[in-house]
Coordinates of all heavy atoms in Angstrom, one line a residue:
R720 N 124.0 100.3 109.2 CA 122.6 100.5 108.8 C 122.4 101.7 107.9 O 121.5 101.7 107.0 CB 121.7 100.7 110.1 CG 121.4 99.3 110.8 CD 120.6 99.6 112.0 NE 120.1 98.4 112.6 CZ 118.9 97.9 112.5 NH1 118.0 98.6 111.8 NH2 118.5 96.8 113.1
V721 N 123.1 102.8 108.2 CA 123.0 104.0 107.3 C 123.5 103.6 105.9 O 122.8 104.0 104.9 CB 123.9 105.1 107.9 CG1 123.9 106.3 107.0 CG2 123.4 105.5 109.3
L722 N 124.6 102.9 105.8 CA 125.0 102.5 104.4 C 124.0 101.7 103.7 O 123.7 101.9 102.5 CB 126.4 101.7 104.6 CG 127.0 101.2 103.3 CD1 127.3 102.4 102.3 CD2 128.2 100.4 103.5
Y723 N 123.4 100.7 104.4 CA 122.3 99.9 103.8 C 121.1 100.8 103.4 O 120.5 100.7 102.4 CB 121.9 98.8 104.8 CG 120.7 98.1 104.3 CD1 120.7 97.3 103.2 CD2 119.5 98.1 105.0 CE1 119.6 96.6 102.7 CE2 118.4 97.4 104.6 CZ 118.4 96.7 103.5 OH 117.3 96.0 103.0
G724 N 120.8 101.7 104.3 CA 119.6 102.6 104.1 C 119.8 103.5 102.9 O 118.8 104.0 102.3
L725 N 121.0 103.8 102.5 CA 121.3 104.6 101.3 C 120.7 104.0 100.0 O 120.5 104.7 99.0 CB 122.8 104.9 101.1 CG 123.4 105.8 102.2 CD1 124.9 105.9 102.0 CD2 122.8 107.2 102.2
G726 N 120.5 102.7 100.0 CA 119.8 102.1 98.9 C 120.7 101.9 97.7 O 120.2 101.9 96.6
I727 N 122.0 101.7 97.9 CA 122.9 101.5 96.8 C 122.6 100.1 96.2 O 122.5 99.1 96.9 CB 124.4 101.5 97.3 CG1 124.7 102.9 98.0 CG2 125.4 101.3 96.2 CD1 126.0 103.0 98.7
R728 N 122.5 100.1 94.9 CA 122.2 98.9 94.2 C 123.1 97.7 94.6 O 124.3 97.9 94.7 CB 122.2 99.0 92.7 CG 121.0 99.8 92.1 CD 121.1 99.8 90.6 NE 120.8 98.4 90.0 CZ 121.1 98.1 88.8 NH1 121.6 98.9 87.9 NH2 120.9 96.8 88.4
H729 N 122.5 96.6 94.8 CA 123.1 95.3 95.1 C 123.7 95.2 96.6 O 124.2 94.2 97.0 CB 124.3 95.0 94.2 CG 123.9 95.1 92.7 ND1 122.9 94.4 92.2 CD2 124.5 95.9 91.7 CE1 122.8 94.7 90.9 NE2 123.7 95.6 90.6
V730 N 123.6 96.3 97.3 CA 124.1 96.3 98.7 C 123.0 95.9 99.7 O 122.1 96.7 100.0 CB 124.7 97.7 99.1 CG1 125.2 97.7 100.5 CG2 125.9 98.0 98.2
G731 N 123.1 94.7 100.2 CA 122.1 94.3 101.2 C 122.7 94.6 102.6 O 123.8 95.1 102.8
S732 N 121.9 94.1 103.6 CA 122.3 94.4 105.0 C 123.6 93.7 105.4 O 124.4 94.3 106.1 CB 121.2 94.1 106.0 OG 120.8 92.7 105.8
V733 N 123.8 92.5 104.9 CA 125.0 91.8 105.3 C 126.2 92.4 104.5 O 127.3 92.6 105.1 CB 124.9 90.3 104.9 CG1 126.2 89.6 105.1 CG2 123.8 89.6 105.8
N734 N 126.0 92.7 103.3 CA 127.1 93.4 102.5 C 127.5 94.7 103.1 O 128.7 95.0 103.2 CB 126.7 93.6 101.1 CG 126.4 92.3 100.3 OD1 127.1 91.3 100.6 ND2 125.6 92.3 99.3
A735 N 126.5 95.4 103.6 CA 126.8 96.7 104.2 C 127.7 96.5 105.5 O 128.6 97.3 105.8 CB 125.5 97.4 104.6
Q736 N 127.4 95.5 106.2 CA 128.1 95.1 107.4 C 129.6 94.8 107.1 O 130.5 95.3 107.7 CB 127.5 93.9 108.1 CG 128.2 93.5 109.4 CD 127.8 94.3 110.6 OE1 126.6 94.5 110.9 NE2 128.7 94.8 111.4
L737 N 129.8 94.0 106.0 CA 131.1 93.7 105.6 C 131.9 94.9 105.1 O 133.1 95.0 105.4 CB 131.1 92.6 104.4 CG 130.5 91.3 104.8 CD1 130.3 90.4 103.5 CD2 131.4 90.5 105.8
I738 N 131.3 95.8 104.4 CA 131.9 96.9 103.9 C 132.3 97.9 105.0 O 133.4 98.4 105.0 CB 131.0 97.7 102.8 CG1 130.9 96.8 101.6 CG2 131.6 99.0 102.5 CD1 129.8 97.3 100.6
T739 N 131.4 98.1 106.0 CA 131.8 99.0 107.1 C 132.8 98.4 108.0 O 133.5 99.2 108.7 CB 130.5 99.4 107.9 OG1 129.8 98.2 108.3 CG2 129.5 100.2 107.0
E740 N 133.0 97.1 108.0 CA 134.1 96.6 108.8 C 135.4 96.9 108.2 O 136.4 97.2 108.9 CB 133.9 95.0 108.9 CG 132.8 94.6 109.8 CD 132.6 93.1 109.8 OE1 133.4 92.4 109.1 OE2 131.7 92.6 110.5
K741 N 135.5 96.9 106.9 CA 136.7 97.3 106.1 C 136.9 98.8 106.1 O 138.0 99.3 106.3 CB 136.6 96.8 104.7 CG 137.7 97.2 103.8 CD 139.0 96.5 104.1 CE 140.1 96.8 103.0 NZ 141.4 96.2 103.3
Y742 N 135.8 99.5 106.0 CA 135.8 101.0 106.0 C 135.0 101.5 107.1 O 133.8 101.8 106.9 CB 135.3 101.5 104.6 CG 136.2 101.0 103.5 CD1 135.8 99.9 102.7 CD2 137.4 101.5 103.2 CE1 136.5 99.5 101.6 CE2 138.2 101.1 102.2 CZ 137.8 100.0 101.4 OH 138.6 99.5 100.4
P743 N 135.5 101.7 108.3 CA 134.7 102.0 109.5 C 134.3 103.5 109.5 O 133.6 103.9 110.5 CB 135.7 101.7 110.7 CG 137.0 101.8 110.1 CD 136.9 101.3 108.7
A744 N 134.6 104.3 108.5 CA 134.2 105.7 108.4 C 133.9 106.0 106.9 O 134.5 105.5 106.0 CB 135.2 106.6 108.9
V745 N 132.9 106.8 106.7 CA 132.4 107.1 105.4 C 133.6 107.8 104.6 O 133.7 107.6 103.3 CB 131.2 108.0 105.4 CG1 131.5 109.4 105.9 CG2 130.5 108.1 104.0
E746 N 134.4 108.6 105.2 CA 135.5 109.2 104.5 C 136.5 108.2 103.9 O 137.0 108.4 102.8 CB 136.4 110.1 105.5 CG 135.6 111.3 106.0 CD 134.7 111.0 107.2 OE1 134.7 109.8 107.7 OE2 134.0 111.9 107.7
K747 N 136.7 107.1 104.5 CA 137.6 106.0 104.0 C 136.9 105.3 102.8 O 137.6 105.0 101.8 CB 137.9 105.0 105.1 CG 138.8 105.6 106.2 CD 139.2 104.6 107.2 CE 140.1 105.2 108.3 NZ 140.5 104.2 109.2
L748 N 135.6 105.1 102.9 CA 134.9 104.5 101.8 C 134.8 105.4 100.6 O 134.9 104.9 99.4 CB 133.5 104.1 102.2 CG 132.6 103.3 101.3 CD1 133.3 102.0 100.8 CD2 131.3 102.9 101.9
E749 N 134.6 106.7 100.8 CA 134.5 107.7 99.7 C 135.8 107.7 98.8 O 135.7 107.9 97.6 CB 134.3 109.1 100.3 CG 132.9 109.3 100.8 CD 132.7 110.6 101.5 OE1 133.7 111.1 102.1 OE2 131.6 111.2 101.4
T750 N 136.9 107.4 99.5 CA 138.2 107.5 98.7 C 138.7 106.1 98.3 O 139.9 106.0 97.8 CB 139.3 108.2 99.6 OG1 139.4 107.5 100.8 CG2 138.8 109.7 99.9
A751 N 138.0 105.1 98.6 CA 138.5 103.7 98.3 C 138.5 103.4 96.8 O 137.6 103.9 96.1 CB 137.6 102.7 99.0
K752 N 139.4 102.6 96.4 CA 139.5 102.2 95.0 C 138.5 101.0 94.8 O 138.2 100.3 95.7 CB 140.9 101.7 94.6 CG 141.9 102.8 94.7 CD 143.3 102.2 94.3 CE 144.4 103.2 94.4 NZ 145.7 102.6 94.1
Q753 N 137.9 100.9 93.6 CA 137.0 99.9 93.3 C 137.6 98.5 93.6 O 137.0 97.6 94.1 CB 136.5 100.0 91.9 CG 135.5 98.9 91.5 CD 134.9 99.1 90.1 OE1 134.7 100.2 89.6 NE2 134.6 98.0 89.4
S754 N 138.9 98.3 93.2 CA 139.6 97.1 93.3 C 139.7 96.7 94.8 O 139.7 95.5 95.2 CB 140.9 97.1 92.7 OG 141.7 98.2 93.2
D755 N 139.9 97.7 95.7 CA 140.0 97.5 97.1 C 138.7 97.0 97.7 O 138.6 96.1 98.6 CB 140.5 98.7 97.9 CG 141.9 99.1 97.5 OD1 142.7 98.1 97.1 OD2 142.3 100.2 97.7
I756 N 137.6 97.6 97.3 CA 136.3 97.2 97.7 C 136.0 95.8 97.3 O 135.5 95.0 98.1 CB 135.2 98.2 97.2 CG1 135.4 99.6 97.7 CG2 133.8 97.7 97.7 CD1 134.5 100.6 97.1
E757 N 136.4 95.5 96.1 CA 136.1 94.1 95.6 C 136.9 93.1 96.3 O 136.6 91.9 96.3 CB 136.5 94.1 94.1 CG 136.1 92.8 93.4 CD 136.4 92.9 91.9 OE1 136.5 94.0 91.3 OE2 136.5 91.8 91.3
G758 N 138.0 93.5 96.9 CA 138.9 92.6 97.7 C 138.3 92.2 99.0 O 138.9 91.3 99.6
I759 N 137.2 92.8 99.4 CA 136.6 92.4 100.7 C 135.9 91.0 100.5 O 135.2 90.8 99.5 CB 135.5 93.4 101.1 CG1 136.1 94.8 101.3 CG2 134.8 92.9 102.4 CD1 135.1 95.9 101.6
Y760 N 136.2 90.1 101.4 CA 135.6 88.7 101.2 C 134.1 88.8 101.3 O 133.5 89.4 102.2 CB 136.1 87.8 102.4 CG 135.5 86.4 102.3 CD1 135.7 85.6 101.3 CD2 134.7 86.0 103.4 CE1 135.2 84.3 101.3 CE2 134.1 84.8 103.4 CZ 134.3 83.9 102.3 OH 133.7 82.7 102.2
G761 N 133.5 88.3 100.3 CA 132.0 88.3 100.2 C 131.4 89.4 99.4 O 130.2 89.5 99.1
I762 N 132.3 90.3 98.9 CA 131.9 91.4 98.0 C 132.4 91.1 96.6 O 133.6 91.1 96.4 CB 132.4 92.8 98.5 CG1 132.0 93.0 100.0 CG2 132.0 93.9 97.6 CD1 130.5 93.1 100.1
G763 N 131.5 91.0 95.6 CA 131.9 90.7 94.3 C 132.1 92.0 93.5 O 132.0 93.1 93.9
A764 N 132.5 91.8 92.2 CA 132.8 92.9 91.3 C 131.6 93.8 91.1 O 131.7 95.1 91.0 CB 133.3 92.4 90.0

Side-chain angles (χ1 to χ4, degrees):
R720 280 179 171 258
V721 175
L722 179 61
Y723 172 64
L725 292 173
I727 302 171
R728 282 188 69 195
H729 310 304
V730 176
S732 57
V733 172
N734 295 331
Q736 181 84 48
L737 295 173
I738 293 169
T739 54
E740 286 176 2
K741 174 72 172 178
Y742 299 102
V745 70
E746 293 83 4
K747 294 183 178 181
L748 184 56
E749 287 173 326
T750 58
K752 296 179 181 177
Q753 182 176 326
S754 57
D755 291 338
I756 301 172
E757 189 176 338
I759 302 172
Y760 176 65
I762 302 297

